[in-house]
Amino acid sequence: MSTASLRHLVRLYNPIRQATRKPPLPVFRHTGHILHSRPATVRARVSPSRTSFEKVRFTASDVPPLDFWTEHLQQPWFESDDESPYKVGAAACHSACRRYAALAIQDKPGWRQQALTTSPTISSSGAYSSRGGDDGGGKVSLHTLNYVVAMLIRSATAGHLATHIVHSGVMLGYPPSVLTMARLGLERDLLDRPQFLPTKEALHKLATLDPVPTFPSSSKSKSNKPGATKQPGRGSSSSSSDDDDYYYLPDALTAVGLIHARRKEPQGDKRAVRYFDQARAAAASTSTTTATPLAPPSGGPGIWQWRASAVLALVEVYLRRGQRDLARALLRESVPELDNAEACYQYAQLLLPPEDGGEGEGGGEDENEKVEKKNYAERVALLERAAVSGVEEAAREMSRVELRRLEEDDEKEKKKKKAGGKGLSEREKKDRRFMVEEWLVIAGDKGVV
C-alpha cells in the first residue's frame, strides 16, 4: 500500500479526530502593559415624548457666522428701501438667531412668552423695527426666525437649532411654524408620534377658526373689524393677530384633511373631503378680503399654498371610491393653475381608458383605442412636463414614447426607400436613440425599456 493510500485510509478511519482538531492558540508577546477587558456599553433607547422637541441639543457655537447669512439670504428676503416691517436682512437674521440660542440655552421659565413675538420685531420703545432682529432690548420676532429656519436647513450643523425654533413657534401658535411642523410630520408619517402631539393640537386649533369674516377695505383698526374673535390662551404680545391666522386657514384645513385621507378608509375619506371643501371655501373667502396684511414672501397671492396637496389627495379619494370621472374633471380644472409635476402625471394616467372599462367608459377595444388616440397629444405633453420635473414613472413612459416614435420612423423610412425616397439621416436616428436613453437616465433605470 502506498503512502498516499495509507494517509487516506487513516483519515477515513478517524474522521472525528480530524473534525475536532483545535487550531493553535495565538502567541501574545508581553509588552509591559496590563490588558483590561471592558464590557461594551449599551445605551438605552429613549422613547420620544411630548417634550422631545423642547430639549436643547445645540450650543451657541452652532449659530452660523454673519458670512453664512449674507451668502444664503436671497430675494425677497433682503432689506427693503421702503422700511417695510416684513423684510429682513442678513444682520437681522444673525442677531435673532444668536439671541434665540442664548435664550433657549438659559431656558428660564416662560422665556418664549416673554421674549418672542409673532409680529415684526417690536423695539423696547414699542415701535416696529424694519430690520426684524434684536435691537438691543426688543423681542425676537418669530417672523424673522421663520426666515432663519429656511436658511438653517442649509447648514450641516444647525438642524437641532432649526427644529427647536419651529417647535417654539408651534407652542406659541404661530401659523407658519405649525404648518411647517405639520408638513414634516406628514412627509415622514410621524404625526401620530408623541413628539408631534403639540403640533396636532395647534393645527386643529388653527383649523377650527370661526368662518372667515369680511372686513371693510377702509378699516385700519382691528377694533372696528366685525367678527374678529380672540383665540383662548393667546396673548397679543406673543401671537399673531386673528386676521393673520385667517390667512393660513385654507392650509390648516388642508393639513387636517390630509391626516384623514392617509387612513385610506371610508370614514377618513369622508372627513377628508369635508375638510378639503372647507379649505376651498376659506380660500375663496380670504381672497376677497383685506383681512391679511401679511403678504407671502414671494409677493404672490399665496392664499392656498397647499392646494396641490389637497388636489392630489382628493384624486386618490375619488379613485378609491371608483369616481374616475370626478378625479379627471378635478385635474382638468387644476393642472393649468397648479403647474404641479405629480398632478400632470396623474392627469395623463386618467386620460387613458381604464383596463376594465370603468365608469362612463365604453370599455370595448375599438372604443378604448379611439380614446387613446384622441388624448395622445395632450397626454404626451403632460408626461413630458412631469418627466422633466423628475417624476420617474413619467420619464419611463416618455422613453417608451420615444422608442415607439423611433420604430414608426423606421417603418416610414423603409416605405420611402421602396418608393425611391430618402429616410432619416444617421444623425437624426442617433438623436432619437439618445432621447430614449436620456429619459431612462431621468427614470433611474437606464437600459430597461
Side-chain angles (χ1 to χ4, degrees), residues 209-215 242-251 253 278-292 301-304:
L209 288 172
D210 293 337
V212 182
T214 302
F215 301 130
D242 293 325
D243 301 348
D244 289 344
D245 287 356
Y246 284 115
Y247 180 89
Y248 300 98
L249 180 58
D251 292 337
L253 290 166
Q278 291 177 4
R280 180 193 291 264
S285 299
T286 54
S287 63
T288 59
T289 68
T290 58
T292 57
I303 296 299
W304 194 6

mmCIF file of all heavy atoms in Angstrom, residues 209-215 242-251 253 278-292 301-304:
data_model
loop_
_atom_site.group_PDB
_atom_site.id
_atom_site.type_symbol
_atom_site.label_atom_id
_atom_site.label_comp_id
_atom_site.label_asym_id
_atom_site.label_seq_id
_atom_site.Cartn_x
_atom_site.Cartn_y
_atom_site.Cartn_z
ATOM 1 N N LEU A 209 -60.974 77.851 13.366
ATOM 2 C CA LEU A 209 -61.327 79.261 13.493
ATOM 3 C C LEU A 209 -62.763 79.478 13.022
ATOM 4 O O LEU A 209 -63.308 78.692 12.240
ATOM 5 C CB LEU A 209 -60.383 80.127 12.654
ATOM 6 C CG LEU A 209 -58.949 80.285 13.169
ATOM 7 C CD1 LEU A 209 -58.116 81.005 12.123
ATOM 8 C CD2 LEU A 209 -58.916 81.052 14.475
ATOM 9 N N ASP A 210 -63.358 80.567 13.482
ATOM 10 C CA ASP A 210 -64.702 80.905 13.040
ATOM 11 C C ASP A 210 -64.689 81.165 11.532
ATOM 12 O O ASP A 210 -63.634 81.411 10.944
ATOM 13 C CB ASP A 210 -65.209 82.152 13.768
ATOM 14 C CG ASP A 210 -65.408 81.880 15.247
ATOM 15 O OD1 ASP A 210 -65.588 80.696 15.603
ATOM 16 O OD2 ASP A 210 -65.379 82.834 16.042
ATOM 17 N N PRO A 211 -65.867 81.129 10.891
ATOM 18 C CA PRO A 211 -65.910 81.428 9.465
ATOM 19 C C PRO A 211 -65.222 82.757 9.166
ATOM 20 O O PRO A 211 -65.265 83.699 9.946
ATOM 21 C CB PRO A 211 -67.415 81.506 9.167
ATOM 22 C CG PRO A 211 -68.038 80.634 10.204
ATOM 23 C CD PRO A 211 -67.192 80.782 11.437
ATOM 24 N N VAL A 212 -64.565 82.828 8.022
ATOM 25 C CA VAL A 212 -63.749 83.977 7.682
ATOM 26 C C VAL A 212 -64.616 85.224 7.570
ATOM 27 O O VAL A 212 -65.556 85.258 6.792
ATOM 28 C CB VAL A 212 -63.018 83.736 6.350
ATOM 29 C CG1 VAL A 212 -62.127 84.923 6.003
ATOM 30 C CG2 VAL A 212 -62.207 82.466 6.436
ATOM 31 N N PRO A 213 -64.329 86.261 8.359
ATOM 32 C CA PRO A 213 -65.121 87.480 8.268
ATOM 33 C C PRO A 213 -64.720 88.321 7.065
ATOM 34 O O PRO A 213 -63.609 88.199 6.558
ATOM 35 C CB PRO A 213 -64.783 88.212 9.571
ATOM 36 C CG PRO A 213 -63.383 87.794 9.859
ATOM 37 C CD PRO A 213 -63.268 86.365 9.373
ATOM 38 N N THR A 214 -65.631 89.161 6.613
ATOM 39 C CA THR A 214 -65.340 90.094 5.541
ATOM 40 C C THR A 214 -65.124 91.466 6.151
ATOM 41 O O THR A 214 -66.027 92.013 6.786
ATOM 42 C CB THR A 214 -66.496 90.145 4.528
ATOM 43 O OG1 THR A 214 -66.717 88.838 4.016
ATOM 44 C CG2 THR A 214 -66.169 91.102 3.382
ATOM 45 N N PHE A 215 -63.931 92.005 5.967
ATOM 46 C CA PHE A 215 -63.583 93.259 6.600
ATOM 47 C C PHE A 215 -63.635 94.389 5.581
ATOM 48 O O PHE A 215 -63.195 94.218 4.440
ATOM 49 C CB PHE A 215 -62.176 93.199 7.192
ATOM 50 C CG PHE A 215 -62.008 92.114 8.204
ATOM 51 C CD1 PHE A 215 -60.946 91.240 8.128
ATOM 52 C CD2 PHE A 215 -62.938 91.952 9.220
ATOM 53 C CE1 PHE A 215 -60.794 90.238 9.062
ATOM 54 C CE2 PHE A 215 -62.780 90.955 10.158
ATOM 55 C CZ PHE A 215 -61.717 90.098 10.078
ATOM 56 N N ASP A 242 -55.610 87.517 14.884
ATOM 57 C CA ASP A 242 -56.526 86.571 14.278
ATOM 58 C C ASP A 242 -56.637 86.813 12.780
ATOM 59 O O ASP A 242 -56.862 85.893 12.013
ATOM 60 C CB ASP A 242 -57.910 86.690 14.924
ATOM 61 C CG ASP A 242 -57.906 86.250 16.371
ATOM 62 O OD1 ASP A 242 -57.154 85.321 16.679
ATOM 63 O OD2 ASP A 242 -58.629 86.845 17.177
ATOM 64 N N ASP A 243 -56.471 88.096 12.377
ATOM 65 C CA ASP A 243 -56.560 88.395 10.958
ATOM 66 C C ASP A 243 -55.495 87.634 10.181
ATOM 67 O O ASP A 243 -55.763 87.080 9.117
ATOM 68 C CB ASP A 243 -56.369 89.901 10.728
ATOM 69 C CG ASP A 243 -57.422 90.726 11.461
ATOM 70 O OD1 ASP A 243 -58.397 90.114 11.930
ATOM 71 O OD2 ASP A 243 -57.255 91.945 11.559
ATOM 72 N N ASP A 244 -54.270 87.608 10.693
ATOM 73 C CA ASP A 244 -53.212 86.869 10.029
ATOM 74 C C ASP A 244 -53.454 85.366 10.101
ATOM 75 O O ASP A 244 -53.068 84.631 9.191
ATOM 76 C CB ASP A 244 -51.863 87.204 10.664
ATOM 77 C CG ASP A 244 -51.412 88.618 10.330
ATOM 78 O OD1 ASP A 244 -51.985 89.200 9.393
ATOM 79 O OD2 ASP A 244 -50.521 89.133 11.008
ATOM 80 N N ASP A 245 -54.083 84.896 11.173
ATOM 81 C CA ASP A 245 -54.385 83.477 11.277
ATOM 82 C C ASP A 245 -55.327 83.036 10.163
ATOM 83 O O ASP A 245 -55.207 81.926 9.629
ATOM 84 C CB ASP A 245 -55.026 83.163 12.635
ATOM 85 C CG ASP A 245 -54.010 83.221 13.768
ATOM 86 O OD1 ASP A 245 -52.812 83.430 13.475
ATOM 87 O OD2 ASP A 245 -54.410 83.053 14.930
ATOM 88 N N TYR A 246 -56.292 83.897 9.791
ATOM 89 C CA TYR A 246 -57.218 83.547 8.723
ATOM 90 C C TYR A 246 -56.493 83.361 7.401
ATOM 91 O O TYR A 246 -56.953 82.614 6.534
ATOM 92 C CB TYR A 246 -58.288 84.636 8.571
ATOM 93 C CG TYR A 246 -59.343 84.588 9.647
ATOM 94 C CD1 TYR A 246 -59.487 85.626 10.555
ATOM 95 C CD2 TYR A 246 -60.196 83.488 9.762
ATOM 96 C CE1 TYR A 246 -60.436 85.578 11.551
ATOM 97 C CE2 TYR A 246 -61.154 83.434 10.753
ATOM 98 C CZ TYR A 246 -61.274 84.484 11.653
ATOM 99 O OH TYR A 246 -62.216 84.437 12.636
ATOM 100 N N TYR A 247 -55.372 84.044 7.236
ATOM 101 C CA TYR A 247 -54.589 83.900 6.018
ATOM 102 C C TYR A 247 -54.159 82.442 5.827
ATOM 103 O O TYR A 247 -54.079 81.948 4.694
ATOM 104 C CB TYR A 247 -53.363 84.816 6.113
ATOM 105 C CG TYR A 247 -52.461 84.770 4.916
ATOM 106 C CD1 TYR A 247 -52.657 85.609 3.831
ATOM 107 C CD2 TYR A 247 -51.392 83.869 4.871
ATOM 108 C CE1 TYR A 247 -51.828 85.557 2.738
ATOM 109 C CE2 TYR A 247 -50.564 83.818 3.777
ATOM 110 C CZ TYR A 247 -50.782 84.669 2.712
ATOM 111 O OH TYR A 247 -49.953 84.622 1.631
ATOM 112 N N TYR A 248 -53.873 81.740 6.915
ATOM 113 C CA TYR A 248 -53.377 80.363 6.850
ATOM 114 C C TYR A 248 -54.481 79.328 7.052
ATOM 115 O O TYR A 248 -54.203 78.125 7.088
ATOM 116 C CB TYR A 248 -52.290 80.155 7.916
ATOM 117 C CG TYR A 248 -51.121 81.073 7.750
ATOM 118 C CD1 TYR A 248 -51.015 82.249 8.492
ATOM 119 C CD2 TYR A 248 -50.112 80.791 6.837
ATOM 120 C CE1 TYR A 248 -49.945 83.107 8.341
ATOM 121 C CE2 TYR A 248 -49.032 81.639 6.676
ATOM 122 C CZ TYR A 248 -48.949 82.797 7.430
ATOM 123 O OH TYR A 248 -47.888 83.647 7.259
ATOM 124 N N LEU A 249 -55.724 79.758 7.184
ATOM 125 C CA LEU A 249 -56.821 78.826 7.433
ATOM 126 C C LEU A 249 -56.984 77.789 6.331
ATOM 127 O O LEU A 249 -57.152 76.594 6.629
ATOM 128 C CB LEU A 249 -58.123 79.609 7.642
ATOM 129 C CG LEU A 249 -59.391 78.780 7.917
ATOM 130 C CD1 LEU A 249 -59.196 77.904 9.153
ATOM 131 C CD2 LEU A 249 -60.599 79.695 8.090
ATOM 132 N N PRO A 250 -56.944 78.150 5.030
ATOM 133 C CA PRO A 250 -57.070 77.115 3.995
ATOM 134 C C PRO A 250 -56.005 76.026 4.095
ATOM 135 O O PRO A 250 -56.304 74.840 3.930
ATOM 136 C CB PRO A 250 -56.940 77.912 2.690
ATOM 137 C CG PRO A 250 -57.336 79.300 3.041
ATOM 138 C CD PRO A 250 -56.868 79.505 4.445
ATOM 139 N N ASP A 251 -54.762 76.414 4.391
ATOM 140 C CA ASP A 251 -53.692 75.416 4.505
ATOM 141 C C ASP A 251 -53.876 74.540 5.742
ATOM 142 O O ASP A 251 -53.586 73.339 5.713
ATOM 143 C CB ASP A 251 -52.335 76.111 4.567
ATOM 144 C CG ASP A 251 -51.978 76.783 3.245
ATOM 145 O OD1 ASP A 251 -52.515 76.361 2.211
ATOM 146 O OD2 ASP A 251 -51.173 77.728 3.256
ATOM 147 N N LEU A 253 -56.751 73.732 7.162
ATOM 148 C CA LEU A 253 -57.837 72.797 6.845
ATOM 149 C C LEU A 253 -57.343 71.688 5.915
ATOM 150 O O LEU A 253 -57.720 70.519 6.060
ATOM 151 C CB LEU A 253 -58.989 73.559 6.199
ATOM 152 C CG LEU A 253 -59.774 74.508 7.123
ATOM 153 C CD1 LEU A 253 -60.659 75.438 6.300
ATOM 154 C CD2 LEU A 253 -60.621 73.719 8.120
ATOM 155 N N GLN A 278 -63.984 72.716 2.814
ATOM 156 C CA GLN A 278 -63.882 73.888 3.680
ATOM 157 C C GLN A 278 -62.654 74.732 3.321
ATOM 158 O O GLN A 278 -62.698 75.965 3.379
ATOM 159 C CB GLN A 278 -63.813 73.451 5.141
ATOM 160 C CG GLN A 278 -65.105 72.855 5.670
ATOM 161 C CD GLN A 278 -64.967 72.357 7.103
ATOM 162 O OE1 GLN A 278 -63.927 72.523 7.737
ATOM 163 N NE2 GLN A 278 -66.022 71.733 7.617
ATOM 164 N N ALA A 279 -61.560 74.052 2.956
ATOM 165 C CA ALA A 279 -60.354 74.778 2.562
ATOM 166 C C ALA A 279 -60.594 75.591 1.289
ATOM 167 O O ALA A 279 -60.166 76.745 1.177
ATOM 168 C CB ALA A 279 -59.195 73.799 2.347
ATOM 169 N N ARG A 280 -61.301 74.994 0.338
ATOM 170 C CA ARG A 280 -61.617 75.710 -0.897
ATOM 171 C C ARG A 280 -62.487 76.930 -0.596
ATOM 172 O O ARG A 280 -62.263 78.027 -1.129
ATOM 173 C CB ARG A 280 -62.340 74.775 -1.869
ATOM 174 C CG ARG A 280 -62.715 75.429 -3.191
ATOM 175 C CD ARG A 280 -63.705 74.554 -3.954
ATOM 176 N NE ARG A 280 -63.079 73.340 -4.416
ATOM 177 C CZ ARG A 280 -62.566 73.183 -5.642
ATOM 178 N NH1 ARG A 280 -62.589 74.204 -6.493
ATOM 179 N NH2 ARG A 280 -62.034 72.049 -6.012
ATOM 180 N N ALA A 281 -63.484 76.756 0.272
ATOM 181 C CA ALA A 281 -64.370 77.870 0.629
ATOM 182 C C ALA A 281 -63.597 78.958 1.375
ATOM 183 O O ALA A 281 -63.793 80.153 1.140
ATOM 184 C CB ALA A 281 -65.527 77.367 1.474
ATOM 185 N N ALA A 282 -62.705 78.553 2.266
ATOM 186 C CA ALA A 282 -61.923 79.529 3.024
ATOM 187 C C ALA A 282 -60.990 80.308 2.108
ATOM 188 O O ALA A 282 -60.811 81.515 2.260
ATOM 189 C CB ALA A 282 -61.119 78.826 4.119
ATOM 190 N N ALA A 283 -60.389 79.621 1.119
ATOM 191 C CA ALA A 283 -59.503 80.306 0.169
ATOM 192 C C ALA A 283 -60.292 81.307 -0.662
ATOM 193 O O ALA A 283 -59.812 82.417 -0.938
ATOM 194 C CB ALA A 283 -58.818 79.289 -0.734
ATOM 195 N N ALA A 284 -61.502 80.930 -1.067
ATOM 196 C CA ALA A 284 -62.331 81.860 -1.842
ATOM 197 C C ALA A 284 -62.720 83.072 -1.010
ATOM 198 O O ALA A 284 -62.800 84.193 -1.515
ATOM 199 C CB ALA A 284 -63.581 81.137 -2.345
ATOM 200 N N SER A 285 -62.936 82.880 0.298
ATOM 201 C CA SER A 285 -63.337 83.986 1.165
ATOM 202 C C SER A 285 -62.167 84.914 1.458
ATOM 203 O O SER A 285 -62.292 86.129 1.374
ATOM 204 C CB SER A 285 -63.903 83.451 2.483
ATOM 205 O OG SER A 285 -65.050 82.647 2.246
ATOM 206 N N THR A 286 -61.014 84.343 1.805
ATOM 207 C CA THR A 286 -59.872 85.180 2.163
ATOM 208 C C THR A 286 -59.334 85.939 0.972
ATOM 209 O O THR A 286 -58.740 87.005 1.130
ATOM 210 C CB THR A 286 -58.739 84.334 2.764
ATOM 211 O OG1 THR A 286 -58.425 83.269 1.851
ATOM 212 C CG2 THR A 286 -59.156 83.745 4.087
ATOM 213 N N SER A 287 -59.541 85.419 -0.246
ATOM 214 C CA SER A 287 -59.011 86.112 -1.422
ATOM 215 C C SER A 287 -59.789 87.372 -1.740
ATOM 216 O O SER A 287 -59.332 88.209 -2.505
ATOM 217 C CB SER A 287 -59.038 85.176 -2.637
ATOM 218 O OG SER A 287 -60.378 84.815 -2.948
ATOM 219 N N THR A 288 -60.983 87.541 -1.163
ATOM 220 C CA THR A 288 -61.801 88.718 -1.453
ATOM 221 C C THR A 288 -61.823 89.695 -0.297
ATOM 222 O O THR A 288 -62.608 90.621 -0.284
ATOM 223 C CB THR A 288 -63.239 88.283 -1.775
ATOM 224 O OG1 THR A 288 -63.772 87.562 -0.652
ATOM 225 C CG2 THR A 288 -63.277 87.391 -3.000
ATOM 226 N N THR A 289 -60.990 89.467 0.733
ATOM 227 C CA THR A 289 -60.955 90.367 1.883
ATOM 228 C C THR A 289 -59.602 91.032 2.000
ATOM 229 O O THR A 289 -58.642 90.648 1.348
ATOM 230 C CB THR A 289 -61.243 89.595 3.186
ATOM 231 O OG1 THR A 289 -60.147 88.720 3.436
ATOM 232 C CG2 THR A 289 -62.534 88.805 3.103
ATOM 233 N N THR A 290 -59.533 92.008 2.857
ATOM 234 C CA THR A 290 -58.255 92.668 3.159
ATOM 235 C C THR A 290 -57.846 92.348 4.585
ATOM 236 O O THR A 290 -57.203 93.129 5.252
ATOM 237 C CB THR A 290 -58.385 94.184 2.985
ATOM 238 O OG1 THR A 290 -59.432 94.646 3.844
ATOM 239 C CG2 THR A 290 -58.697 94.547 1.560
ATOM 240 N N ALA A 291 -58.249 91.177 5.043
ATOM 241 C CA ALA A 291 -58.010 90.812 6.435
ATOM 242 C C ALA A 291 -56.613 90.297 6.676
ATOM 243 O O ALA A 291 -56.259 89.964 7.785
ATOM 244 C CB ALA A 291 -59.017 89.749 6.864
ATOM 245 N N THR A 292 -55.800 90.174 5.624
ATOM 246 C CA THR A 292 -54.489 89.564 5.779
ATOM 247 C C THR A 292 -53.402 90.500 5.266
ATOM 248 O O THR A 292 -52.969 90.385 4.126
ATOM 249 C CB THR A 292 -54.423 88.239 5.005
ATOM 250 O OG1 THR A 292 -54.740 88.530 3.632
ATOM 251 C CG2 THR A 292 -55.407 87.243 5.542
ATOM 252 N N PRO A 301 -50.177 85.696 -4.611
ATOM 253 C CA PRO A 301 -51.410 85.560 -3.834
ATOM 254 C C PRO A 301 -51.237 84.658 -2.624
ATOM 255 O O PRO A 301 -51.534 85.038 -1.503
ATOM 256 C CB PRO A 301 -52.397 84.961 -4.851
ATOM 257 C CG PRO A 301 -51.543 84.354 -5.910
ATOM 258 C CD PRO A 301 -50.307 85.184 -5.968
ATOM 259 N N GLY A 302 -50.734 83.448 -2.822
ATOM 260 C CA GLY A 302 -50.362 82.569 -1.719
ATOM 261 C C GLY A 302 -51.451 82.271 -0.723
ATOM 262 O O GLY A 302 -51.174 81.896 0.408
ATOM 263 N N ILE A 303 -52.722 82.441 -1.100
ATOM 264 C CA ILE A 303 -53.793 82.214 -0.148
ATOM 265 C C ILE A 303 -53.913 80.726 0.188
ATOM 266 O O ILE A 303 -54.110 80.354 1.339
ATOM 267 C CB ILE A 303 -55.129 82.738 -0.730
ATOM 268 C CG1 ILE A 303 -55.052 84.260 -0.918
ATOM 269 C CG2 ILE A 303 -56.281 82.389 0.186
ATOM 270 C CD1 ILE A 303 -54.821 85.020 0.365
ATOM 271 N N TRP A 304 -53.786 79.859 -0.807
ATOM 272 C CA TRP A 304 -53.933 78.415 -0.589
ATOM 273 C C TRP A 304 -52.684 77.723 -1.119
ATOM 274 O O TRP A 304 -52.680 77.145 -2.183
ATOM 275 C CB TRP A 304 -55.188 77.910 -1.295
ATOM 276 C CG TRP A 304 -55.598 76.530 -0.866
ATOM 277 C CD1 TRP A 304 -55.051 75.774 0.122
ATOM 278 C CD2 TRP A 304 -56.649 75.742 -1.424
ATOM 279 N NE1 TRP A 304 -55.685 74.558 0.232
ATOM 280 C CE2 TRP A 304 -56.682 74.514 -0.706
ATOM 281 C CE3 TRP A 304 -57.566 75.955 -2.437
ATOM 282 C CZ2 TRP A 304 -57.604 73.509 -1.014
ATOM 283 C CZ3 TRP A 304 -58.479 74.951 -2.728
ATOM 284 C CH2 TRP A 304 -58.499 73.738 -2.019
#
